[in-house]
Amino acid sequence: MNLFTLRRPAPSLDDLVLEVSPGEPSGDALMPTVAKPPQVFVRGQGSWLWDSDDRAYLDFSQGNAANSLGHSPQVLIKALADQTQALINPGMALHNRTQLSLVERLCHRTGSDQAYLLNSGAEACEAAIKLARKWGQLHRGGAYRIISASNARHGRSFAALAASTGAQENRFEPQLPGFSHVPFNDLPALHAAVDAQTVAIMLEPIQSAGVVPATEHYLKGVERLCRELGILLILDEVQTGMGRCGTLLAEQHYGVRADIITLGKGLGGGVPLAALLARGNACCFDLGELEGTHHGNALMASAGAAVLNNVLEHGFLEHVRESGLYLGEGLARLAYRYDHGAPRGQGLLWGLTLSEESADAVVNAALHEGLILSAPQPDCLRFTPALTVSKSNIDEMLLRLARAFSRVRTAQLQCRKGIAV
């Protein structure tokens, strides 16, 4: 059933946005840090969002993969409601049962020795960098340099930003020193970059910018290199962890084992929660070296526990794998029809390279069709639906995406015709 009935004439490329509804807040008071469409969203359920005009939108972004169980899942509503009535935040200097239970389960299920709860993926990556440098002081003669990959996205805090590349122009110079970048999926380049001051290699198993997966040969080679040279392997699983790739962690799919792992996004199911996991002698933080007012608070930890319970339920990860294959096959058919590149990804994390740098236009056209997507690069669309997404939702998404492609193609032809005239 098509829940989005508003249809409009094919617009020009400049008009592929919807206008804000009269009477809605203008957003002028909001700092313009992220480009956003004018709609104001008021409720959500599963794979659907509704705006203030009661228009329904099929959401295949889900907060850039944060809403792992979809919008307002009952298990999360109940967990937060129950926890709110019991305890919200006793303070970072005090234990709470929900926090302790979640870190113990995360360690048990991931084969980690210690875990720490934070608020965001960027914070988790920042903490991983701190932990690696502390380890370098203790075990590698003060080594501090971290090697990451070209087009990496590890967050917008200062250390995470320095570990990232290819983002929009950095106007916050000077950057934090001690980071270098080499091409992704290039083992010789990585090997050549390691020196006596290198403490760790930090990678995303699937790069969120462009959704570019590491090859199995590459990631296993990186792990082997780290073991041979006595340096740490940090895997940024903020995007790929918590079942997104069809396994609890993407490292399990690749058959590797990192020393430090970061989790975020889907761990909280939509609320701000992240985790730092460490193994072996990488567990070297001492008192006072990592803390935060809301770190490990009971309310957010209850959300993480609810998400983890669901992801570990029998058949859940199998559903993610099956739905992911179905989505990938559908995207491949659509890409072939519109002369775009082959889709790439794993589980329910997919990217599609377009034949032109028209990703923003497609995202805006999709809004006209009641479909929410994200564009991490000018020529790339990213698909991160709820892990509970149904095949019927995928079919509906493909229909709306096809109409969005047609809108953009029509607008492009009209523009070219105008130029020719």
Side-chain angles (χ1 to χ4, degrees), residues 17 25 67 155 162 192 211 217 257 287 292 302 342 402-403 414:
V17 291
N67 306 322
V211 193
H217 170 77
R257 183 174 171 83
L287 292 176
S302 71
R403 293 201 294 264
Q414 290 175 343

Side-chain angles (χ1 to χ4, degrees), residues 41-344:
F41 291 95
V42 296
R43 61 190 176 95
Q45 185 64 55
S47 291
W48 295 91
L49 274 175
W50 283 263
D51 69 13
S52 54
D53 289 328
D54 209 32
R55 299 190 185 104
Y57 298 76
L58 184 56
D59 188 359
F60 264 60
S61 172
Q62 290 288 347
N64 287 324
N67 306 322
S68 48
L69 304 181
H71 292 285
S72 301
Q74 286 302 311
V75 291
L76 197 58
I77 291 172
K78 185 178 187 306
L80 292 171
D82 290 349
Q83 189 62 52
T84 299
Q85 296 180 50
L87 179 66
I88 294 177
N89 187 2
M92 64 180 180
L94 302 172
H95 285 310
N96 70 77
R97 180 180 297 169
T98 315
Q99 169 199 44
L100 295 178
S101 175
L102 180 56
V103 296
E104 286 178 5
R105 293 193 67 207
L106 282 172
C107 286
H108 173 68
R109 290 293 183 168
T110 64
S112 302
D113 296 307
Q114 290 183 354
Y116 183 82
L117 302 180
L118 309 96
N119 304 328
S120 69
E123 273 192 271
C125 288
E126 197 89 5
I129 291 166
K130 289 180 180 178
L131 184 58
R133 288 189 169 183
K134 171 71 183 296
W135 182 89
Q137 293 173 10
L138 296 175
H139 301 289
R140 196 168 162 79
Y144 65 94
R145 285 185 60 248
I146 293 175
I147 302 172
S148 59
S150 301
N151 292 316
R153 297 288 191 276
H154 297 296
R156 294 289 184 172
S157 54
F158 256 93
L161 187 64
S164 306
T165 61
Q168 66 184 42
E169 181 184 356
N170 178 14
R171 298 184 176 90
F172 316 112
E173 299 285 359
Q175 286 196 28
L176 188 69
F179 297 87
S180 58
H181 312 95
V182 298
F184 192 53
N185 278 327
D186 189 336
L187 271 175
L190 193 57
H191 200 295
V194 177
D195 61 20
Q197 292 302 310
T198 301
V199 69
I201 296 171
M202 184 174 187
L203 298 170
E204 302 160 278
I206 299 178
Q207 289 194 316
S208 57
V211 193
V212 180
T215 66
E216 184 176 334
H217 170 77
Y218 173 72
L219 211 53
K220 286 187 173 179
V222 173
E223 181 192 28
R224 185 167 56 250
L225 178 65
C226 289
R227 302 296 170 251
E228 291 172 354
L229 300 180
I231 59 178
L232 298 176
L233 173 58
I234 304 172
L235 287 184
D236 176 353
E237 294 231 31
V238 169
Q239 179 107 293
T240 58
M242 294 307 295
R244 176 58 59 181
C245 294
T247 50
L248 185 60
L249 299 178
E251 70 161 18
Q252 297 165 341
H253 168 75
Y254 283 96
V256 300
R257 183 174 171 83
D259 301 289
I260 300 172
I261 294 173
T262 60
L263 297 174
K265 291 190 183 292
L267 175 61
V271 304
L273 180 66
L276 174 70
L277 308 178
R279 294 161 172 162
N281 66 4
C283 301
C284 60
F285 270 141
D286 290 319
L287 292 176
E289 293 181 335
L290 186 64
E291 58 186 36
T293 301
H294 298 289
H295 289 180
N297 80 71
L299 186 63
M300 299 302 100
S302 71
V307 171
L308 184 60
N309 287 342
N310 266 254
V311 170
L312 294 176
E313 280 184 356
H314 177 72
F316 188 95
L317 292 173
E318 183 180 0
H319 167 81
V320 172
R321 293 190 291 269
E322 291 178 353
S323 299
L325 287 173
Y326 191 76
L327 174 58
E329 291 169 355
L331 289 173
R333 292 192 301 271
L334 208 57
Y336 178 79
R337 187 194 313 170
Y338 287 90
D339 297 320
H340 296 308
R344 58 193 174 275

